[in-house]
């Protein structure tokens, strides 16, 4: 049996504008919001279908969804997304098993959502479920209940066909509370940090045996911890968002789930069942040990806030679940955690709305788990929103270079460059380094590595002016900005990113990393910080196999399947 594991479809219906209707007005989100986001919006409409079509072509019938099926849990979006999966189930016999992500629901009562939609003249309209939301610079505001994101009571029944409740054909079904699948039987008390506020919350974890011998352990790692104080339980601000909490909050707030996981793993082993676990959030550090370097270089980033601590990974490994699939971060990664005889492999599944666009195919082969990463580069209709983006860009006098993309994968690669420009550099990088990035090239870095004098970012231009122009190979003219974009490509894609980066660039990066690593730099100087930046890139190049590999289910050893003949799909500029 083969299983497809997908994550973070973030499905958005570009044919339907909430509060207006289908076909009455454009339902395309703005390019400005897309460029500033960690994901694209409009492209999910065709990308999700292309993904499912690929699964059907391969003859796979069981599909695991590791969270964030919907754009942001909006009521009408949930209806459209579940209708799409129901259509594939009806036409092709696909069986979906899912867990809820942080974008699918919010606590018990849900929360408001507000989105900007393009008009045909390039202006935008704000559609919101919140009557108090200001119109901002939109030309119009529409208030619609269809924009509201539901809580557990609304979202889980909407996705109920995906294993959240017992199905007639299931060979086994249970949850941490027993075999009663009613939501009211799956509630628990969650307490604020000061111990004074107690809420009733639902846990939507479940175990299902859809086919003989296969146990799918679906863990609800969403944690909505109440904030201190007597706050209105119906309001979003009354809870700590699960987005950054994830597994770090599980031992404290949902320890009963870890106890249940341990019991399930023991029973699976005793009964000879193949157990695969998945949740929306990574359970092991997805940065493969480079978190300390990232903290040193960039301080507080969204990746670091969402990185599970070692104690959490240790507790998870002690349950004996062995293999866990995750989504959330939109990255392609394999991480292994060992603690004595305990071990755990976390396989991070990419998204079709973030670089790189891919999913995983899993096959049991004796005592090994075989994993294949499938890139979906070509998506029919990938450019459906491009005409609207060009009109918007002309109106706002901004760049629409992303619309020059040749296919969906190229679009996402270009989008990543825009994210670096509009999000990562201005919001996550220290100001002095962010200011240097657009002004330096690799030749400048080579000269900075060649001096024994430690420099500050402010000294860099004075030094470079005095150092003169180098007699150097062509690669030295490559802008540092391009290297930073490739840094993020490797950070998100690992092995898969090599399909999108010219091998000559990789050789240049290795050369520079070696030059900086050979220096003895005082901590905190410019060269020391650049050395950390490059060392992280080298660590990702040498990280555990993340493309096509196998996991020894007895030892946790991860073995790569050589991917020979790799070619660059496209070397993307970032103009």
């Amino acid at each position: 049996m083969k299983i497809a594991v997908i994550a973070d479809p973030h499905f958005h219906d570009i044919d339907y504008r909430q509060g207006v209707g289908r076909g009455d007005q454009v339902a395309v989100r703005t390019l400005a919001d897309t460029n500033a986001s960690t994901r694209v919006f409009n492209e999910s409409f065709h990308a999700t279908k292309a993904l499912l079509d690929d699964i059907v072509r391969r003859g796979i019938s069981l599909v695991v969804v590791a969270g964030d099926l919907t754009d942001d849990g909006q009521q009408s979006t949930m209806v459209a997304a579940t209708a799409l999966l129901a259509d594939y189930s009806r036409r092709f016999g696909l069986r979906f098993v899912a867990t809820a992500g942080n974008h699918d629901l919010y606590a018990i009562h849900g929360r408001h959502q507000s989105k900007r939609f393009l008009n045909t003249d390039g202006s935008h309209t704000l559609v919101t479920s919140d009557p108090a939301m200001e119109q901002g610079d939109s030309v119009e505001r529409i208030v619609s209940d269809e924009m509201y994101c539901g809580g557990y009571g609304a979202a889980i029944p909407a996705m109920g066909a995906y294993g959240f409740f017992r199905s007639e054909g299931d060979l086994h079904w249970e949850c941490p509370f027993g075999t009663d699948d009613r939501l009211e039987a799956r509630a628990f008390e969650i307490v604020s940090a000061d111990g004074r506020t107690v809420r009733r919350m639902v846990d939507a974890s479940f175990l299902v045996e859809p086919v003989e011998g296969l146990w799918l352990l679906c863990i609800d790692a969403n944690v909505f911890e109440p904030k201190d104080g007597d706050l209105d339980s119906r309001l979003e601000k009354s809870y700590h968002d699960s987005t950054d909490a994830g597994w770090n909050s599980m031992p404290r707030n949902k320890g009963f789930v870890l106890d249940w996981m341990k019991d399930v793993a023991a029973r699976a082993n005793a009964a000879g069942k193949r157990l695969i676990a998945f949740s929306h959030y990574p359970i092991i550090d997805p940065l493969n040990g480079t978190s300390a370097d990232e903290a040193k270089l960039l301080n507080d980033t969204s990746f670091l806030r969402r990185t599970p601590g070692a104690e959490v990974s240790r507790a998870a490994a002690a349950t004996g679940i062995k293999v866990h699939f995750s989504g959330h971060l939109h990255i392609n990664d394999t991480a292994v955690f060992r603690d004595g005889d305990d071990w755990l492999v976390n396989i991070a599944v990419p998204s079709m709305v973030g670089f790189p666009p891919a999913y995983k195919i899993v096959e049991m082969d004796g005592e090994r788990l075989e994993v294949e990463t499938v890139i979906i580069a070509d998506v029919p209709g990938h450019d459906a929103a491009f005409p609207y983006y060009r009109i918007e860009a002309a109106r706002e006098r901004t760049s629409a270079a992303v619309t020059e993309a040749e296919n969906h994968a190229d679009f996402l690669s270009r989008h990543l460059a825009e994210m670096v420009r509009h999000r990562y550099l201005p919001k996550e990088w220290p100001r002095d380094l962010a200011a240097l990035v657009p002004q330096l090239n690799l030749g400048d870095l080579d000269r900075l590595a060649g001096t024994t004098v430690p420099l500050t970012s402010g000294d860099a231009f004075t030094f470079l002016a005095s150092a003169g122009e180098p007699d150097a190979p062509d690669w030295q003219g490559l802008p540092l900005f391009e290297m930073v974009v490739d840094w993020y490509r490797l950070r998100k894609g690992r092995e898969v990113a090599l399909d999108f980066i010219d091998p000559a660039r990789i050789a240049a990066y290795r050369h520079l990393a070696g030059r900086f690593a050979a220096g003895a730099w005082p901590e905190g100087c410019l060269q020391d910080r650049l050395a950390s930046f490059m060392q992280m890139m080298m660590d990702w190049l040498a990280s555990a196999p993340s493309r096509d590999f196998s996991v020894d289910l007895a030892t946790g050893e991860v073995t790569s399947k050589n991917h020979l003949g790799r070619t660059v799909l496209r070397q993307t500029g970032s103009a």
Side-chain angles (χ1 to χ4, degrees), residues 39-56:
R39 57 189 166 98
V40 299
F41 304 118
N42 306 301
E43 291 68 29
S44 66
F45 182 82
H46 291 291
T48 304
K49 295 177 182 179
L51 170 63
L52 296 177
D53 287 342
D54 191 75
I55 291 170
V56 170

Side-chain angles (χ1 to χ4, degrees), residues 7-294:
D8 303 273
H10 286 288
F11 184 79
H12 163 65
D13 188 353
I14 61 173
D15 287 337
Y16 185 88
R17 182 184 287 192
Q18 290 92 336
V20 177
R22 184 171 299 280
D24 294 332
Q25 293 191 44
V26 178
V28 171
R29 305 273 291 280
T30 68
L31 177 60
D33 289 345
T34 297
N35 283 341
S37 173
T38 56
R39 57 189 166 98
V40 299
F41 304 118
N42 306 301
E43 291 68 29
S44 66
F45 182 82
H46 291 291
T48 304
K49 295 177 182 179
L51 170 63
L52 296 177
D53 287 342
D54 191 75
I55 291 170
V56 170
R57 279 194 298 270
R58 293 170 184 269
I60 299 172
S61 59
L62 184 56
V63 183
V64 169
V65 185
D68 284 355
L69 169 64
T70 64
D71 170 49
D72 256 327
Q74 306 97 315
Q75 291 179 15
S76 56
T77 301
M78 181 67 77
V79 169
T82 53
L84 176 66
L85 299 197
D87 178 58
Y88 274 80
S89 293
R90 182 176 59 256
R91 289 195 293 138
F92 304 110
L94 297 189
R95 165 74 192 273
F96 295 94
V97 177
T99 190
N102 58 302
H103 284 267
D104 293 320
L105 54 77
Y106 191 86
I108 291 296
H109 298 286
R111 61 178 168 187
H112 287 296
Q113 291 291 343
S114 303
K115 309 296 179 186
R116 300 195 305 176
F117 292 87
L118 280 171
N119 301 315
T120 54
D121 64 353
S123 66
H124 47 79
T125 294
L126 177 72
V127 184
T128 179
S129 60
D130 185 359
M133 175 62 64
E134 295 183 359
Q135 183 171 316
D137 59 352
S138 294
V139 297
E140 183 185 11
R141 186 191 71 151
I142 296 173
V143 178
S144 171
D145 290 340
E146 291 181 312
M147 283 294 290
Y148 195 78
C149 171
Y152 276 98
I156 297 303
M159 297 188 293
Y162 312 144
F164 291 101
F165 302 102
R166 183 181 291 102
S167 295
E168 184 177 347
D170 292 340
L171 301 176
H172 179 75
W173 189 98
E174 67 177 82
C175 69
F177 308 93
T179 57
D180 190 340
D181 64 355
R182 295 174 303 137
L183 286 185
E184 54 266 34
R186 298 157 71 178
F188 67 101
E189 290 188 343
I190 188 167
V191 185
S192 61
D194 64 6
R196 297 180 180 180
T197 303
V198 180
R199 305 280 188 224
R200 292 288 289 175
M201 195 64 62
V202 169
D203 176 81
S205 303
F206 62 91
L207 170 70
V208 65
E209 185 175 5
V211 294
E212 179 66 40
L214 176 64
W215 278 14
L216 297 179
L217 180 61
C218 313
I219 304 161
D220 178 10
N222 286 307
V223 178
F224 299 99
E225 181 181 313
K227 293 182 180 178
D228 294 342
D230 186 19
L231 303 175
D232 188 339
S233 63
R234 297 168 296 180
L235 300 181
E236 176 183 357
K237 65 181 181 181
S238 300
Y239 300 90
H240 293 284
D241 195 335
S242 63
T243 300
D244 287 346
W247 276 98
N248 283 326
S249 289
M250 287 289 285
R252 183 177 72 255
N253 290 295
K254 296 171 76 169
F256 64 90
V257 173
L258 287 137
D259 294 339
W260 175 64
M261 290 163 57
K262 186 172 185 178
D263 179 62
V264 167
R267 285 187 283 128
N269 185 58
K273 305 293 185 181
R274 293 297 191 193
L275 178 66
I276 299 178
F278 65 96
S279 71
H280 184 54
Y281 304 91
I283 207 168
I284 300 175
D285 178 3
L287 292 177
N288 281 293
T290 61
S291 295
D293 284 327
E294 179 154 321

Side-chain angles (χ1 to χ4, degrees), residues 156-470:
I156 297 303
M159 297 188 293
Y162 312 144
F164 291 101
F165 302 102
R166 183 181 291 102
S167 295
E168 184 177 347
D170 292 340
L171 301 176
H172 179 75
W173 189 98
E174 67 177 82
C175 69
F177 308 93
T179 57
D180 190 340
D181 64 355
R182 295 174 303 137
L183 286 185
E184 54 266 34
R186 298 157 71 178
F188 67 101
E189 290 188 343
I190 188 167
V191 185
S192 61
D194 64 6
R196 297 180 180 180
T197 303
V198 180
R199 305 280 188 224
R200 292 288 289 175
M201 195 64 62
V202 169
D203 176 81
S205 303
F206 62 91
L207 170 70
V208 65
E209 185 175 5
V211 294
E212 179 66 40
L214 176 64
W215 278 14
L216 297 179
L217 180 61
C218 313
I219 304 161
D220 178 10
N222 286 307
V223 178
F224 299 99
E225 181 181 313
K227 293 182 180 178
D228 294 342
D230 186 19
L231 303 175
D232 188 339
S233 63
R234 297 168 296 180
L235 300 181
E236 176 183 357
K237 65 181 181 181
S238 300
Y239 300 90
H240 293 284
D241 195 335
S242 63
T243 300
D244 287 346
W247 276 98
N248 283 326
S249 289
M250 287 289 285
R252 183 177 72 255
N253 290 295
K254 296 171 76 169
F256 64 90
V257 173
L258 287 137
D259 294 339
W260 175 64
M261 290 163 57
K262 186 172 185 178
D263 179 62
V264 167
R267 285 187 283 128
N269 185 58
K273 305 293 185 181
R274 293 297 191 193
L275 178 66
I276 299 178
F278 65 96
S279 71
H280 184 54
Y281 304 91
I283 207 168
I284 300 175
D285 178 3
L287 292 177
N288 281 293
T290 61
S291 295
D293 284 327
E294 179 154 321
K296 175 182 175 181
L297 180 72
L298 305 181
N299 299 317
D300 183 33
T301 68
S302 59
F303 259 58
L304 292 177
R305 290 193 299 272
R306 300 172 186 185
T307 296
E311 67 282 359
V312 175
S313 301
R314 186 173 296 109
T319 66
I321 62 172
K322 303 304 183 187
V323 178
H324 175 267
F325 288 82
S326 66
H328 190 47
L329 296 181
H330 304 179
I331 64 172
N332 177 60
D333 174 70
T334 307
V336 183
F337 181 89
R338 296 186 184 277
D339 181 44
D341 293 332
D342 296 331
W343 58 267
L344 178 62
V345 177
N346 187 92
I347 301 168
V349 182
S351 166
M352 286 295 291
V353 293
F355 179 86
Y359 71 100
K360 304 284 184 179
I361 295 176
V362 183
E363 183 176 13
M364 295 286 188
D365 184 10
E367 290 300 315
R368 304 192 74 83
L369 189 76
E370 305 290 343
V371 181
E372 177 187 357
T373 303
V374 180
I375 302 172
I376 307 293
D378 294 310
V379 170
H382 78 278
D383 55 354
F386 286 10
Y388 301 104
Y389 292 161
R390 294 185 185 111
I391 295 171
E392 175 192 356
R395 178 188 177 99
E396 302 297 330
R397 295 190 175 95
T398 56
S399 171
V402 290
T403 64
E404 298 170 8
E406 295 179 352
N407 56 34
H408 182 64
D410 184 27
F411 174 75
L412 291 178
S413 187
R414 289 169 177 265
H415 171 258
L416 179 55
E418 293 304 313
M419 262 202 296
V420 172
R421 192 188 316 278
H422 296 286
R423 183 184 181 101
Y424 293 138
L425 285 177
K427 294 183 178 181
E428 294 193 346
W429 281 57
R431 287 187 179 182
D432 63 330
L433 287 183
L436 282 180
V437 169
Q439 302 182 66
L440 301 183
N441 59 31
L442 300 199
D444 296 327
L445 297 189
D446 205 29
R447 286 182 286 168
L448 290 171
T451 177
T452 58
V453 179
L455 302 168
T456 67
S457 57
D459 298 330
F461 292 111
T462 301
F463 166 77
L464 292 171
S466 65
E469 291 297 326

